[in-house]
Amino acid sequence: MKYRKRLAGGFVAASALLSAGLVTASAASAAPAAATQGTAPACVKRDVIKHRKYVKVTNNCGEAMHLKVVIDWGNDSPCLTYQPGEQWEWNWGRGSYGKVVTC
């Protein structure tokens, strides 16, 4: 079953909630604002189609992960928390795929 999160609209809402300090836990809750810790581990699967500006990321780790997609010369995805087995898709308009990082 294909699961797609709509992050573009949620980014504005998540940003507003983060700035107000009102974020509540959910399946894909906003992670605390923190500095990027580094490239996501190998248990985070990335399926990238660069010419379509598309990536599907799957958390195959045994724990919840705080992740974001880094787009070189473009807008990154928001840093969100993903539970084990959860997957999502990210599309971007400008720039190119960089990597998936923990945050």
Side-chain angles (χ1 to χ4, degrees):
M1 182 167 143
K2 190 173 186 181
Y3 182 73
R4 180 181 177 123
K5 288 184 182 276
R6 301 235 179 233
L7 295 177
F11 178 69
V12 174
S15 296
L17 290 174
L18 281 173
S19 64
L22 301 174
V23 175
T24 59
S26 70
S29 61
T36 300
Q37 295 178 355
T39 302
C43 58
V44 175
K45 182 180 177 190
R46 304 111 164 126
D47 294 310
V48 182
I49 303 174
K50 290 186 177 185
H51 69 278
R52 292 189 182 216
K53 298 185 182 236
Y54 163 89
V55 61
K56 180 169 72 173
V57 181
T58 306
N59 178 7
N60 290 326
C61 303
E63 62 184 330
M65 299 292 294
H66 305 289
L67 303 166
K68 77 175 186 174
V69 177
V70 174
I71 303 301
D72 296 334
W73 307 289
N75 293 328
D76 298 345
S77 73
C79 178
L80 298 173
T81 302
Y82 294 93
Q83 301 302 318
E86 194 170 6
Q87 63 180 315
W88 73 101
E89 298 172 345
W90 180 255
N91 295 89
W92 62 94
R94 184 175 301 171
S96 61
Y97 172 81
K99 58 186 173 180
V100 177
V101 297
T102 58
C103 48

